[in-house]
Amino acid sequence: MIRFLLKGLLRDRSRSLLPFLTVVLGSMLTVVGFSWINGAISTIIESSAKFTAGHVKVMSRAYAAEADQAPNDLALMGVGALLDELRRDHPGLVWTPRVKFGGLIDIPDENGETRAQGPAAGLAVDLMSPASPERALLNLDKAVVRGRLPERPGEILLSDGFAARLGVGPGSTATLIGATMYGGMAVHNFTVSGTVHFGITAMDRGAIVADIADVQAALDMEDAAGEILGFERDSLYRKREAAALAAAFNGAHAGDEGEFAPEMVTLHEQGGLGQTLDFASSIYSLMMVMFILVMSIVLWNAGLMGSLRRYGEFGIRLALGEDHGRLYRSLIGEGAIIGLLGSAVGTALGLGAAYYLQTKGLYIGSMMKNASMLITDVLRARVTPASYVIGFIPGLAATFLGKAASGIGVYKRQTSVLAKEFES
């Protein structure tokens, strides 16, 4: 039966070509769309985790309430002891302290007078410890454009575009003017060791990267840090495990009193990331449903047109004794063959396009000039094992629904009137 149906489809292209092309197109778009959205979500998670959110983050309760403002006057105290506790109780994660700070970068001339100034957003991380994960997390070795990474106390990195606007380069002196942890004025001189480009507009607009020990000294934050970030050792964010870890930590510290008691939050609970990621997933689900509906309608119409052309064929098959159910099932079988073959071809084409977008990516920097979200300027698709099968869902579902709807007319044929139909 399968060989018979296959021969019929190959020899009569008018009843197979349009449905086949429809399934190919729908499956291809589904694979590309799934891989693209999967890549965008993965990029948002990866960039946000590495640069600002971690997989989990520990802050003081007061700091967490105003985390978007990075209020260092509400920073965690006794960070050394808290880090020891986290590393002892949760050795499966990598823990690292950070300080976010802002201020004015002042560039002096040869006479010590101000030559250029610009506002900057700073990130203080552990750059000097050999065991620190920060160089790998921030991809600093590849991000260096000019100069080198800090090797001695008092050295900082500036984003390359920011340094160009200020007219400075490696070896230049830069003065940070900001506020200490206790609200006083902080003025501290640094040496620019190099410039970096992260490919993230929000970071490249005006960023400073400094060693956390230098910033703690400059901002009067001895044994203090705004945040302690935790990362899974395999770099994969797991929402459920992170939520369980945060619940356990917060439960253990529930008895701690005061606004400076530590509190742990997950990546999904920070800066609206949860809503953003859930919205992206909803968009994909909606896209899948729309593809199935549109393809089903097209295949239904194609089936109705084919049924009109094959009106005589159906009548002869019924007159020869083939029952309605068998005839209906043969139409469903034709649809299954078209759906399977079309889905296979569409998936292959979609994977080719997705792999291209994964390798080359799509530059969106012109759309991100004023963006505050930490997302790279080049969005890439991400091909996963699910990408190899996702195209078969709309392909097979649409052909089944289309054939099932259009084939209902078979049951309306009355065998008793076939002779009159043939006479006419």
Side-chain angles (χ1 to χ4, degrees):
M1 175 60 71
I2 295 177
R3 182 182 300 177
F4 171 76
L5 294 176
L6 187 59
K7 285 183 177 180
L9 292 172
L10 292 176
R11 292 174 179 175
D12 188 0
R13 293 184 180 179
S14 62
R15 78 186 195 201
S16 62
L17 183 60
L18 177 60
F20 176 77
L21 293 179
T22 302
V23 174
V24 168
L25 181 61
S27 297
M28 181 183 71
L29 292 177
T30 300
V31 172
V32 174
F34 173 80
S35 301
W36 180 257
I37 293 176
N38 188 37
I41 292 175
S42 299
T43 299
I44 293 173
I45 291 176
E46 185 177 338
S47 299
S48 298
K50 288 183 176 180
F51 284 94
T52 185
H55 294 151
V56 292
K57 181 191 289 186
V58 179
M59 303 169 283
S60 72
R61 292 170 184 168
Y63 187 105
E66 303 179 27
D68 292 340
Q69 302 176 28
N72 287 325
D73 56 321
L74 304 175
L76 287 165
M77 304 291 291
V79 170
L82 185 54
L83 273 172
D84 291 339
E85 175 191 335
L86 290 168
R87 289 166 178 166
R88 181 188 68 247
D89 296 343
H90 309 287
L93 276 71
V94 177
W95 300 96
T96 182
R98 288 184 180 176
V99 175
K100 293 179 181 177
F101 61 97
L104 190 67
I105 290 294
D106 183 275
I107 307 300
D109 59 17
E110 61 276 4
N111 298 319
E113 301 293 334
T114 298
R115 178 172 61 83
Q117 284 185 339
L123 182 63
V125 298
D126 186 0
L127 294 175
M128 301 301 175
S129 300
S132 173
E134 296 290 11
R135 290 177 61 162
L137 287 172
L138 302 179
N139 202 23
L140 290 176
D141 292 303
K142 294 183 178 180
V144 174
V145 178
R146 293 181 287 161
R148 55 172 175 78
L149 296 179
E151 298 175 351
R152 294 183 292 272
E155 294 183 335
I156 62 171
L157 297 168
L158 295 180
S159 61
D160 192 61
F162 185 44
R165 291 196 303 272
L166 295 177
V168 298
S172 301
T173 298
T175 302
L176 172 66
I177 303 174
T180 68
M181 179 178 176
Y182 299 99
M185 185 174 183
V187 180
H188 199 88
N189 290 329
F190 291 97
T191 300
V192 179
S193 67
T195 65
V196 289
H197 180 77
F198 295 106
I200 299 176
T201 302
M203 290 290 294
D204 294 329
R205 190 181 297 129
I208 314 168
V209 179
D211 182 63
I212 191 169
D214 291 332
V215 173
Q216 286 172 329
L219 304 184
D220 200 11
M221 297 181 65
E222 182 179 357
D223 197 25
E227 309 164 349
I228 300 177
L229 273 61
F231 298 90
E232 294 284 354
R233 294 188 180 275
D234 58 4
S235 300
L236 297 178
Y237 172 66
R238 301 174 180 86
K239 181 180 177 180
R240 291 184 179 178
E241 286 85 342
L245 174 61
F249 179 88
N250 293 332
H253 288 269
D256 296 352
E257 297 181 356
E259 61 181 357
F260 291 96
E263 178 181 347
M264 184 182 292
V265 296
T266 67
L267 183 147
H268 259 74
E269 297 172 320
Q270 302 177 54
L273 283 173
Q275 293 89 331
T276 300
L277 298 177
D278 292 341
F279 177 74
S281 298
S282 300
I283 288 295
Y284 174 71
S285 300
L286 179 62
M287 182 182 72
M288 177 73 74
V289 172
M290 291 301 298
F291 271 140
I292 293 177
L293 290 177
V294 172
M295 290 168 60
S296 298
I297 292 173
V298 172
L299 295 173
W300 177 29
N301 289 331
L304 290 176
M305 294 172 61
S307 297
L308 293 176
R309 291 182 58 258
R310 301 170 67 185
Y311 197 76
E313 174 196 336
F314 294 158
I316 292 175
R317 292 171 64 176
L318 291 172
L320 292 175
E322 187 172 0
D323 63 82
H324 292 78
R326 181 180 177 85
L327 180 56
Y328 184 73
R329 288 192 295 272
S330 71
L331 293 178
I332 298 296
E334 290 180 5
I337 294 174
I338 293 174
L340 192 63
L341 294 178
S343 297
V345 174
T347 296
L349 294 175
L351 287 172
Y355 271 115
Y356 177 83
L357 289 174
Q358 178 175 281
T359 303
K360 300 295 184 180
L362 181 65
Y363 178 74
I364 60 170
S366 58
M367 302 166 56
M368 305 292 291
K369 292 181 179 179
N370 298 316
S372 58
M373 182 179 293
L374 294 178
I375 184 170
T376 60
D377 293 344
V378 179
L379 274 184
R380 302 178 187 276
R382 179 163 296 187
V383 178
T384 63
S387 301
Y388 287 82
V389 298
I390 197 70
F392 286 86
I393 296 176
L396 293 175
T399 50
F400 174 80
L401 292 175
K403 284 292 185 180
S406 63
I408 292 177
V410 170
Y411 286 95
K412 297 180 180 180
R413 300 295 302 279
Q414 299 294 327
T415 308
S416 58
V417 299
L418 288 177
K420 293 182 178 179
E421 291 181 354
F422 294 147
E423 288 176 1
S424 58

